[in-house]
Protein backbone atom coordinates (compact mmCIF):
# COMPACT_ATOMS: atom_id res chain seq x y z
CA UNK A 1 0.00 0.00 0.00
CA UNK A 2 1.35 3.42 -1.00
CA UNK A 3 1.64 5.99 1.80
CA UNK A 4 0.30 9.41 0.81
CA UNK A 5 1.14 12.78 2.39
CA UNK A 6 -1.61 15.33 1.63
CA UNK A 7 -0.82 19.06 1.84
CA UNK A 8 -3.75 21.49 1.44
CA UNK A 9 -4.87 24.55 3.41
CA UNK A 10 -8.60 23.73 3.14
CA UNK A 11 -9.87 21.31 5.81
CA UNK A 12 -12.83 20.42 3.57
CA UNK A 13 -10.56 19.71 0.58
CA UNK A 14 -8.24 17.59 2.76
CA UNK A 15 -11.27 15.57 3.85
CA UNK A 16 -12.64 15.10 0.30
CA UNK A 17 -9.26 14.21 -1.22
CA UNK A 18 -8.50 11.84 1.68
CA UNK A 19 -11.78 10.01 0.99
CA UNK A 20 -10.88 9.70 -2.72
CA UNK A 21 -7.35 8.43 -1.96
CA UNK A 22 -8.48 5.97 0.72
CA UNK A 23 -11.27 4.65 -1.54
CA UNK A 24 -8.56 2.82 -3.53
CA UNK A 25 -6.95 -0.08 -1.64
CA UNK A 26 -3.58 0.74 -3.25
CA UNK A 27 -3.31 4.01 -1.26
CA UNK A 28 -3.61 5.30 2.28
CA UNK A 29 -3.36 8.89 3.55
CA UNK A 30 -0.68 8.59 6.24
CA UNK A 31 -0.47 12.28 7.17
CA UNK A 32 -1.76 15.73 6.24
CA UNK A 33 -0.44 19.30 6.54
CA UNK A 34 -2.16 22.69 6.26
CA UNK A 35 0.63 24.65 4.56
CA UNK A 36 4.19 24.45 3.28
CA UNK A 37 5.77 25.39 6.63
CA UNK A 38 4.03 22.53 8.43
CA UNK A 39 4.75 20.12 5.56
CA UNK A 40 8.47 21.02 5.49
CA UNK A 41 8.78 20.46 9.24
CA UNK A 42 7.09 17.07 8.95
CA UNK A 43 9.28 16.01 6.01
CA UNK A 44 12.43 17.04 7.91
CA UNK A 45 11.39 14.72 10.75
CA UNK A 46 10.26 11.77 8.63
CA UNK A 47 10.15 11.20 4.89
CA UNK A 48 8.63 7.74 4.67
CA UNK A 49 5.87 8.71 2.21
CA UNK A 50 5.54 7.35 -1.32
CA UNK A 51 3.84 10.47 -2.73
CA UNK A 52 3.09 14.00 -1.58
CA UNK A 53 -0.13 15.46 -3.02
CA UNK A 54 0.53 19.19 -2.95
CA UNK A 55 -1.70 22.26 -3.23
CA UNK A 56 -0.14 25.38 -4.78
CA UNK A 57 -2.01 28.28 -3.21
CA UNK A 58 -1.48 28.17 0.58
CA UNK A 59 -0.69 30.68 3.36
CA UNK A 60 2.75 30.96 5.06
CA UNK A 61 4.52 28.92 2.35
CA UNK A 62 2.93 27.96 -0.98
CA UNK A 63 3.54 24.79 -2.97
CA UNK A 64 6.20 26.30 -5.26
CA UNK A 65 8.13 27.69 -2.27
CA UNK A 66 7.93 24.29 -0.56
CA UNK A 67 9.37 22.54 -3.67
CA UNK A 68 12.20 25.12 -3.71
CA UNK A 69 12.97 24.44 -0.02
CA UNK A 70 12.92 20.67 -0.56
CA UNK A 71 15.46 21.05 -3.38
CA UNK A 72 17.65 23.33 -1.24
CA UNK A 73 17.57 20.82 1.64
CA UNK A 74 17.96 17.84 -0.73
CA UNK A 75 14.74 16.19 0.46
CA UNK A 76 13.46 13.92 -2.35
CA UNK A 77 9.80 12.99 -2.54
CA UNK A 78 7.54 12.09 -5.46
CA UNK A 79 5.12 14.99 -5.80
CA UNK A 80 1.76 15.33 -7.54
CA UNK A 81 0.33 18.84 -7.79
CA UNK A 82 -3.40 19.18 -7.14
CA UNK A 83 -4.47 22.78 -7.27
CA UNK A 84 -7.08 25.15 -8.60
CA UNK A 85 -4.08 27.21 -9.77
CA UNK A 86 -3.04 24.52 -12.25
CA UNK A 87 -5.81 25.58 -14.68
CA UNK A 88 -5.68 26.84 -18.27
CA UNK A 89 -1.96 26.53 -18.80
CA UNK A 90 -1.00 28.39 -15.64
CA UNK A 91 2.74 29.09 -15.64
CA UNK A 92 2.83 27.81 -12.07
CA UNK A 93 2.29 24.22 -13.27
CA UNK A 94 5.40 24.40 -15.46
CA UNK A 95 7.33 25.91 -12.53
CA UNK A 96 6.26 23.01 -10.30
CA UNK A 97 7.30 20.42 -12.93
CA UNK A 98 10.64 22.22 -13.38
CA UNK A 99 11.17 21.95 -9.62
CA UNK A 100 10.67 18.19 -9.62
CA UNK A 101 6.90 17.64 -9.34
CA UNK A 102 6.20 14.55 -11.45
CA UNK A 103 2.62 15.19 -12.60
CA UNK A 104 -0.48 17.21 -11.80
CA UNK A 105 -4.27 17.27 -11.78
CA UNK A 106 -6.51 20.28 -11.99
CA UNK A 107 -8.59 20.41 -8.82
CA UNK A 108 -12.09 21.89 -9.22
CA UNK A 109 -12.71 25.17 -7.37
CA UNK A 110 -15.37 23.60 -5.16
CA UNK A 111 -14.72 20.56 -2.98
CA UNK A 112 -18.16 19.16 -3.90
CA UNK A 113 -17.12 19.06 -7.59
CA UNK A 114 -14.21 16.75 -6.68
CA UNK A 115 -16.68 13.97 -5.88
CA UNK A 116 -17.53 13.35 -9.54
CA UNK A 117 -16.52 10.07 -11.15
CA UNK A 118 -14.36 11.70 -13.86
CA UNK A 119 -12.23 13.65 -11.37
CA UNK A 120 -11.87 10.64 -9.05
CA UNK A 121 -10.74 8.42 -11.93
CA UNK A 122 -8.24 10.97 -13.25
CA UNK A 123 -6.93 11.73 -9.75
CA UNK A 124 -6.33 8.07 -8.82
CA UNK A 125 -4.82 7.22 -12.21
CA UNK A 126 -2.35 10.15 -11.97
CA UNK A 127 -1.56 9.29 -8.34
CA UNK A 128 -0.73 5.70 -9.34
CA UNK A 129 1.62 6.74 -12.15
CA UNK A 130 3.40 9.15 -9.77
CA UNK A 131 3.63 6.50 -7.04
CA UNK A 132 5.51 4.06 -9.31
CA UNK A 133 7.78 6.69 -10.88
CA UNK A 134 11.44 7.24 -10.06
CA UNK A 135 12.28 9.58 -7.21
CA UNK A 136 12.94 13.05 -8.65
CA UNK A 137 16.49 14.32 -8.93
CA UNK A 138 17.45 17.37 -6.89
CA UNK A 139 17.13 20.58 -8.90
CA UNK A 140 19.51 23.48 -8.32
CA UNK A 141 17.04 26.28 -7.58
CA UNK A 142 19.37 29.01 -8.84
CA UNK A 143 20.88 27.36 -11.94
CA UNK A 144 19.66 24.13 -13.49
CA UNK A 145 22.77 23.73 -15.63
CA UNK A 146 26.37 24.89 -15.46
CA UNK A 147 27.47 27.05 -18.42
CA UNK A 148 30.33 24.54 -18.99
CA UNK A 149 27.80 21.74 -19.54
CA UNK A 150 25.94 23.83 -22.10
CA UNK A 151 29.20 24.61 -23.91
CA UNK A 152 30.09 20.90 -24.16
CA UNK A 153 26.53 20.12 -25.38
CA UNK A 154 26.81 22.83 -28.02
CA UNK A 155 30.18 21.54 -29.25
CA UNK A 156 28.82 17.97 -29.53
CA UNK A 157 25.73 19.15 -31.43
CA UNK A 158 27.82 21.30 -33.81
CA UNK A 159 30.00 18.28 -34.61
CA UNK A 160 26.86 16.14 -35.13
CA UNK A 161 25.32 18.77 -37.43
CA UNK A 162 28.51 18.94 -39.55
CA UNK A 163 28.54 15.19 -40.02
CA UNK A 164 24.86 15.06 -41.01
CA UNK A 165 24.64 17.92 -43.50
CA UNK A 166 24.69 15.42 -46.39
CA UNK A 167 21.71 13.34 -45.14
CA UNK A 168 19.05 13.30 -47.85
CA UNK A 169 15.37 12.34 -47.98
CA UNK A 170 12.13 13.88 -46.84
CA UNK A 171 11.63 12.95 -43.16
CA UNK A 172 9.48 13.82 -40.18
CA UNK A 173 10.10 13.35 -36.43
CA UNK A 174 7.15 12.19 -34.28
CA UNK A 175 7.62 12.24 -30.49
CA UNK A 176 5.40 10.67 -27.80
CA UNK A 177 5.76 11.33 -24.04
CA UNK A 178 3.66 11.22 -20.89
CA UNK A 179 4.47 11.13 -17.14
CA UNK A 180 7.77 12.96 -16.63
CA UNK A 181 7.58 14.25 -20.19
CA UNK A 182 7.45 18.03 -19.70
CA UNK A 183 10.77 18.02 -17.85
CA UNK A 184 12.34 15.35 -20.09
CA UNK A 185 11.40 17.38 -23.18
CA UNK A 186 13.51 20.24 -21.79
CA UNK A 187 16.51 17.94 -22.18
CA UNK A 188 15.66 17.24 -25.84
CA UNK A 189 13.88 20.07 -27.67
CA UNK A 190 16.28 22.92 -26.70
CA UNK A 191 19.17 20.86 -28.14
CA UNK A 192 17.57 20.62 -31.60
CA UNK A 193 19.00 23.08 -34.15
CA UNK A 194 16.73 25.65 -35.83
CA UNK A 195 17.81 24.31 -39.23
CA UNK A 196 16.67 20.72 -38.50
CA UNK A 197 15.83 19.14 -41.85
CA UNK A 198 12.39 17.92 -40.71
CA UNK A 199 9.23 19.07 -38.96
CA UNK A 200 8.63 17.65 -35.46
CA UNK A 201 5.15 16.61 -34.26
CA UNK A 202 4.78 15.87 -30.56
CA UNK A 203 2.09 14.32 -28.36
CA UNK A 204 2.53 14.96 -24.63
CA UNK A 205 -0.36 13.69 -22.51
CA UNK A 206 -1.75 16.82 -20.87
CA UNK A 207 -5.21 18.22 -20.15
CA UNK A 208 -6.81 21.05 -22.13
CA UNK A 209 -5.05 24.39 -21.65
CA UNK A 210 -1.66 23.19 -20.45
CA UNK A 211 -0.01 22.43 -23.80
CA UNK A 212 0.13 26.15 -24.67
CA UNK A 213 2.21 26.77 -21.53
CA UNK A 214 4.45 23.81 -22.34
CA UNK A 215 5.00 25.10 -25.89
CA UNK A 216 5.76 28.63 -24.65
CA UNK A 217 8.25 27.29 -22.08
CA UNK A 218 10.06 25.09 -24.61
CA UNK A 219 10.06 27.84 -27.25
CA UNK A 220 11.71 30.26 -24.79
CA UNK A 221 14.51 27.72 -24.17
CA UNK A 222 15.07 26.61 -27.77
CA UNK A 223 16.67 27.73 -31.03
CA UNK A 224 14.18 25.60 -32.95
CA UNK A 225 10.69 27.12 -33.17
CA UNK A 226 8.12 25.47 -30.83
CA UNK A 227 4.37 26.11 -30.90
CA UNK A 228 1.11 24.61 -29.73
CA UNK A 229 -0.29 23.16 -32.97
CA UNK A 230 -3.31 24.94 -34.42
CA UNK A 231 -5.96 23.56 -36.79
CA UNK A 232 -4.68 23.82 -40.37
CA UNK A 233 -1.02 24.49 -39.48
CA UNK A 234 1.10 23.62 -42.50
CA UNK A 235 4.09 21.46 -41.49
CA UNK A 236 7.42 23.28 -41.86
CA UNK A 237 10.95 21.98 -41.31
CA UNK A 238 12.63 23.33 -38.18
CA UNK A 239 9.37 23.69 -36.23
CA UNK A 240 8.00 21.61 -33.34
CA UNK A 241 4.19 21.25 -33.23
CA UNK A 242 2.80 20.19 -29.83
CA UNK A 243 -0.63 18.53 -29.91
CA UNK A 244 -3.37 20.38 -28.03
CA UNK A 245 -4.60 18.76 -24.83
CA UNK A 246 -8.03 17.14 -24.99
CA UNK A 247 -8.18 16.38 -28.76
CA UNK A 248 -6.43 13.93 -31.09
CA UNK A 249 -3.88 15.31 -33.56
CA UNK A 250 -3.75 13.92 -37.11
CA UNK A 251 -1.47 14.88 -40.02
CA UNK A 252 -3.47 15.05 -43.25
CA UNK A 253 -3.32 16.54 -46.75
CA UNK A 254 -5.47 19.62 -47.33
CA UNK A 255 -7.30 20.21 -50.67
CA UNK A 256 -4.20 21.89 -52.15
CA UNK A 257 -2.04 18.86 -51.28
CA UNK A 258 -0.16 20.47 -48.35
CA UNK A 259 0.41 18.48 -45.17
CA UNK A 260 -1.46 20.11 -42.29
CA UNK A 261 -2.48 19.49 -38.69
CA UNK A 262 -6.07 18.39 -38.20
CA UNK A 263 -7.67 17.89 -34.78
CA UNK A 264 -10.42 15.36 -34.11
CA UNK A 265 -12.43 14.87 -30.98
CA UNK A 266 -13.59 11.42 -29.95
CA UNK A 267 -13.09 8.87 -27.20
CA UNK A 268 -9.75 8.34 -25.50
CA UNK A 269 -7.41 5.65 -26.81
CA UNK A 270 -5.14 3.81 -24.36
CA UNK A 271 -7.00 6.00 -21.84
CA UNK A 272 -5.51 9.23 -23.20
CA UNK A 273 -6.42 12.17 -25.40
CA UNK A 274 -4.40 13.23 -27.37
CA UNK A 275 -3.17 9.75 -28.33
CA UNK A 276 0.21 9.20 -29.98
CA UNK A 277 -1.25 6.12 -31.72
CA UNK A 278 -3.52 8.33 -33.86
CA UNK A 279 -0.65 10.71 -34.66
CA UNK A 280 1.57 7.83 -35.84
CA UNK A 281 -1.16 6.15 -37.89
CA UNK A 282 -2.09 9.41 -39.61
CA UNK A 283 1.43 9.50 -41.10
CA UNK A 284 0.87 6.20 -42.97
CA UNK A 285 -0.35 7.99 -46.14
CA UNK A 286 2.02 10.95 -45.89
CA UNK A 287 4.67 11.56 -48.58
CA UNK A 288 7.58 11.28 -46.11
CA UNK A 289 10.35 8.82 -47.05
CA UNK A 290 10.86 7.98 -43.38
CA UNK A 291 9.24 8.68 -40.01
CA UNK A 292 11.62 8.94 -37.05
CA UNK A 293 9.50 7.91 -34.05
CA UNK A 294 10.74 8.87 -30.59
CA UNK A 295 9.05 7.31 -27.55
CA UNK A 296 9.91 8.85 -24.18
CA UNK A 297 9.03 8.48 -20.49
CA UNK A 298 5.41 7.72 -19.61
CA UNK A 299 2.83 5.32 -18.19
CA UNK A 300 1.08 2.75 -20.35
CA UNK A 301 1.69 1.74 -23.96
CA UNK A 302 0.47 4.67 -26.10
CA UNK A 303 2.50 4.75 -29.32
CA UNK A 304 3.21 1.02 -29.67
CA UNK A 305 0.14 0.08 -31.70
CA UNK A 306 0.41 3.25 -33.78
CA UNK A 307 4.06 2.57 -34.70
CA UNK A 308 3.25 -1.09 -35.46
CA UNK A 309 0.48 0.00 -37.87
CA UNK A 310 2.64 2.75 -39.38
CA UNK A 311 5.46 0.25 -40.05
CA UNK A 312 3.16 -1.74 -42.35
CA UNK A 313 3.25 1.07 -44.94
CA UNK A 314 6.20 3.33 -44.10
CA UNK A 315 9.92 3.19 -43.45
CA UNK A 316 10.19 3.87 -39.73
CA UNK A 317 13.16 4.40 -37.41
CA UNK A 318 12.29 4.10 -33.71
CA UNK A 319 14.33 5.71 -30.92
CA UNK A 320 13.14 4.79 -27.43
CA UNK A 321 14.34 6.22 -24.12
CA UNK A 322 16.21 3.83 -21.83
CA UNK A 323 14.87 2.65 -18.48
CA UNK A 324 17.62 4.34 -16.47
CA UNK A 325 16.70 7.87 -17.60
CA UNK A 326 12.87 7.48 -17.63
CA UNK A 327 10.67 8.85 -14.85
CA UNK A 328 8.24 6.02 -15.67
CA UNK A 329 9.47 3.22 -17.94
CA UNK A 330 6.11 2.35 -19.48
CA UNK A 331 5.68 3.61 -23.05
CA UNK A 332 9.34 3.02 -24.07
CA UNK A 333 9.23 -0.45 -22.47
CA UNK A 334 6.10 -1.35 -24.51
CA UNK A 335 7.82 -0.29 -27.76
CA UNK A 336 11.04 -2.16 -26.89
CA UNK A 337 9.15 -5.30 -25.76
CA UNK A 338 7.22 -5.32 -29.06
CA UNK A 339 10.59 -5.42 -30.86
CA UNK A 340 9.99 -2.05 -32.52
CA UNK A 341 13.00 -0.09 -31.17
CA UNK A 342 15.92 0.48 -33.54
CA UNK A 343 17.80 2.34 -30.82
CA UNK A 344 17.45 2.52 -27.03
CA UNK A 345 19.24 5.63 -25.75
CA UNK A 346 19.50 7.75 -22.61
CA UNK A 347 17.59 11.03 -22.38
CA UNK A 348 20.70 13.17 -22.92
CA UNK A 349 21.42 11.42 -26.25
CA UNK A 350 17.93 11.65 -27.83
CA UNK A 351 18.40 15.07 -29.49
CA UNK A 352 21.75 13.97 -30.94
CA UNK A 353 20.19 10.78 -32.39
CA UNK A 354 17.30 12.76 -33.92
CA UNK A 355 19.78 15.03 -35.71
CA UNK A 356 21.89 12.00 -36.77
CA UNK A 357 18.79 10.52 -38.43
CA UNK A 358 17.28 13.56 -40.17
CA UNK A 359 20.19 15.96 -40.65
CA UNK A 360 20.27 19.74 -40.95
CA UNK A 361 19.57 22.14 -43.83
Amino acid sequence: MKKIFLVDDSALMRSVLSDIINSDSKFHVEATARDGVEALEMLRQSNSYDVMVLDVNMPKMNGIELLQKLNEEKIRIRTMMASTDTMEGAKVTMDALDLGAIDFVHKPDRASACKGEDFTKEFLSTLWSVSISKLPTIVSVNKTEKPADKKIDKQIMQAVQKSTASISGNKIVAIASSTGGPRALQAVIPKLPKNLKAPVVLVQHMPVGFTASLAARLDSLSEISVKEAAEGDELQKGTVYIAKGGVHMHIEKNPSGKLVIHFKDGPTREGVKPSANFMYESLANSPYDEVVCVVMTGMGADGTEGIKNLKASKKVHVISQDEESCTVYGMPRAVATAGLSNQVVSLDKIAQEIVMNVGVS
Side-chain angles (χ1 to χ4, degrees), residues 131-361:
S131 76
I132 61 166
S133 67
K134 284 218 176 86
L135 272 171
T137 52
I138 297 299
V139 179
S140 165
V141 177
N142 302 319
K143 283 186 180 167
T144 54
E145 206 175 4
K146 295 174 196 155
D149 294 343
K150 282 199 164 169
K151 203 173 171 188
I152 291 163
D153 270 349
K154 216 159 188 185
Q155 286 168 347
I156 291 168
M157 288 310 284
Q158 279 167 350
V160 167
Q161 286 180 54
K162 249 183 204 167
S163 69
T164 62
S166 61
I167 288 177
S168 61
N170 187 22
K171 302 182 182 184
I172 185 169
V173 179
I175 301 175
S177 55
S178 189
T179 314
R183 198 161 160 208
L185 288 166
Q186 290 192 28
V188 176
I189 305 301
K191 290 183 187 173
L192 296 177
K194 60 184 174 191
N195 58 339
L196 189 74
K197 212 192 290 183
V200 180
V201 287
L202 193 164
V203 165
Q204 161 66 45
H205 300 150
M206 270 184 152
V208 180
F210 291 97
T211 41
S213 282
L214 175 65
R217 177 68 55 98
L218 288 171
D219 189 57
S220 72
L221 298 169
S222 308
E223 279 183 16
I224 197 168
S225 175
V226 185
K227 72 185 297 275
E228 182 187 50
E231 178 65 29
D233 270 351
E234 196 181 308
L235 295 188
Q236 306 282 352
K237 292 174 182 178
T239 302
V240 179
Y241 302 88
I242 299 180
K244 273 185 191 165
V247 280
H248 297 298
M249 180 171 75
H250 295 246
I251 290 85
E252 298 182 356
K253 273 188 183 170
N254 68 6
S256 58
K258 306 272 190 197
L259 276 184
V260 297
I261 304 272
H262 176 50
F263 288 106
K264 295 181 184 176
D265 205 352
T268 62
R269 183 168 169 188
E270 291 283 346
V272 294
K273 185 163 64 169
S275 162
N277 282 329
F278 283 128
M279 171 184 72
Y280 287 131
E281 287 164 2
S282 73
L283 288 164
N285 299 317
S286 68
Y288 293 107
D289 304 322
E290 184 176 17
V291 182
V292 176
C293 302
V294 182
V295 181
M296 293 171 57
T297 178
M299 262 303 264
D302 187 29
T304 299
E305 193 180 13
I307 291 172
K308 209 178 276 179
N309 293 336
L310 176 62
K311 262 195 159 173
S313 56
K314 270 274 168 242
K315 186 181 177 195
V316 172
H317 183 89
V318 181
I319 301 167
S320 59
Q321 189 178 345
D322 70 354
E323 183 171 6
E324 181 83 4
S325 65
C326 277
T327 302
V328 179
Y329 189 55
M331 284 159 51
R333 183 205 296 272
V335 168
T337 305
L340 298 169
S341 299
N342 297 95
Q343 291 178 274
V344 178
V345 301
S346 62
L347 179 63
D348 60 349
K349 298 280 193 302
I350 290 175
Q352 184 180 315
E353 293 308 324
I354 290 171
V355 178
M356 293 288 277
N357 276 282
V358 302
V360 291
S361 301

